[in-house]
Amino acid sequence: MLFRRKKKEVAPAEPPLVPVSGPAIDAARERCREMVRQRALVSAGVAAVPLPGVDILSDLTTFTVLVEEVNREFGLSQQQIERLHPRLRVLAYQAAASVGGMLVGKLVTRNLVLQVFKRAGIKIAAKTAAKVVPIAGQVASAAIGFALFRRMGYQHVEACAQVARELQKVKIVDEGGVAPAV
């Protein structure tokens, strides 16, 4: 009985079938930012390992999973967007493109995440090069890895929140209400 798993008392909430709206946007944003911080810490831990390339592979895998979870949390995964009314689906993709949400509402693959990582190429190169210096280099690599992962994650969370807000505005106008002033 030494390695018995604890039973979770609270079952995880089902992801929404439609994009979140109203106060749920801010709640989803905060939950996702917490997920990003936790994953950034994992990224920093792996970046401290003195083996070159392990951190990049780990970051690719971890970020891919994170993006899928954030999209799902906001109701903006590819499957969730495909269930929307065709007009809303087009608006969701347009909103994602306008805010620069390259990963919002798409099937996230390693190649797609690799394209995002290539944009941050200099910092990744610095993180890898820092590993050459014992101890101080590993600490620097971990710090760079944490900051880079967190920044990229936060950007994706903000893009998802913005797309959800844009879709909320469209729904209010469609229902005969007045679009809120921004």
Side-chain angles (χ1 to χ4, degrees):
M1 301 330 144
L2 216 120
F3 297 105
R4 206 173 230 178
R5 288 187 181 185
K6 292 181 181 179
K7 293 183 182 179
K8 291 185 180 179
E9 294 179 17
V10 179
E14 288 293 316
L17 295 177
V18 295
V20 294
S21 60
I25 294 173
D26 291 329
R29 181 179 169 272
E30 286 308 311
R31 284 191 306 272
C32 291
R33 287 176 65 90
E34 180 59 31
M35 276 194 294
V36 169
R37 283 188 291 272
Q38 290 173 354
R39 304 285 168 78
L41 283 171
V42 170
S43 173
V46 172
V49 175
L51 298 172
V54 171
D55 56 338
I56 295 172
L57 182 61
S58 172
D59 284 352
L60 278 173
T61 305
T62 305
F63 198 73
T64 301
V65 171
L66 175 71
V67 166
E68 290 172 356
E69 289 176 1
V70 169
N71 285 347
R72 203 173 316 115
E73 190 76 27
F74 278 97
L76 295 171
S77 70
Q78 183 183 21
Q79 298 85 4
Q80 290 163 319
I81 289 179
E82 292 300 319
R83 289 188 213 141
L84 292 176
H85 184 275
R87 181 172 176 268
L88 281 177
R89 188 179 320 146
V90 169
L91 290 172
Y93 286 125
Q94 286 175 343
S98 71
V99 298
M102 184 174 155
L103 302 172
V104 178
K106 296 189 178 169
L107 180 62
V108 182
T109 63
R110 280 189 180 180
N111 288 335
L112 190 57
V113 173
L114 189 58
Q115 289 176 358
V116 173
F117 275 37
K118 283 181 182 177
R119 290 183 178 179
I122 293 172
K123 291 183 181 178
I124 291 174
K127 180 173 83 165
T128 305
K131 287 186 176 195
V132 175
V133 179
I135 300 175
Q138 293 167 348
V139 171
S141 178
I144 292 169
F146 176 82
L148 180 64
F149 195 97
R150 186 180 66 177
R151 191 191 72 182
M152 289 172 42
Y154 280 179
Q155 285 176 349
H156 181 65
V157 169
E158 295 307 320
C160 286
Q162 187 62 35
V163 169
R165 286 186 189 105
E166 291 295 321
L167 288 175
Q168 179 183 4
K169 288 179 191 176
V170 170
K171 283 184 181 179
I172 290 172
V173 171
D174 281 351
E175 293 171 358
V178 178
V182 176

